[in-house]
Amino acid sequence: MEKKTIRVSIQRSSPSSGEPPWKQVYQVEEKPGATVLSVLKDIYENQDPTLAYYVSCRLGKCAGCQVLVNGRVRLACTEPVEGDLELAPQPGYPVIRDLYVDKRKKSGPAGAE
């Protein structure tokens, strides 16, 4: 039986390089009970060890793993995966790299929620 996959499009960037952000698409095996964080971990461990994202408590308490999931700010560690994903860094903070932002600094009006 063929395994089902989901399409995960991630906004990648490396501001220190001076290159503009780009989208990178991955195909990931669909797994029951998967969270956005488990999908990111799968991509990092099995496809692309250059992907940068933040993880800390894994319990939905610290809010360090917030990312834009299909246009809405969500906690990657608790957000269930229901189909294809469009991921981007949390708006309102300077991007360090990929989905990893500097939570110590607010940037511009985009951070007002």
Side-chain angles (χ1 to χ4, degrees):
M1 185 159 97
E2 189 174 320
K3 294 179 180 179
K4 286 188 173 184
T5 61
I6 59 169
R7 179 183 181 274
V8 182
S9 175
I10 300 176
Q11 180 179 313
R12 306 281 311 263
S13 65
S14 180
S16 64
S17 74
E19 296 292 322
W22 71 96
K23 295 244 180 191
Q24 188 157 356
V25 177
Y26 302 91
Q27 294 294 323
V28 178
E29 183 182 337
E30 189 176 62
K31 295 178 182 165
T35 63
V36 171
L37 184 60
S38 65
V39 167
L40 290 171
K41 183 179 177 197
D42 183 87
I43 292 169
Y44 178 81
E45 290 178 350
N46 299 305
Q47 296 183 49
D48 189 350
T50 68
L51 178 63
Y53 60 96
Y54 184 84
V55 61
S56 184
C57 76
R58 296 179 181 94
L59 300 170
K61 298 198 181 287
C62 76
C65 66
Q66 286 182 317
V67 293
L68 209 57
V69 179
N70 298 333
R72 301 177 75 184
V73 176
R74 295 286 182 245
L75 294 175
C77 68
T78 59
E79 183 68 16
V81 174
E82 297 171 355
D84 294 344
L85 296 170
E86 290 275 337
L87 305 177
Q90 181 182 9
Y93 296 93
V95 175
I96 295 171
R97 192 163 61 90
D98 301 334
L99 301 175
Y100 186 41
V101 298
D102 188 344
K103 294 272 187 151
R104 299 170 300 167
K105 301 176 186 173
K106 282 274 201 186
S107 65
E113 292 189 23

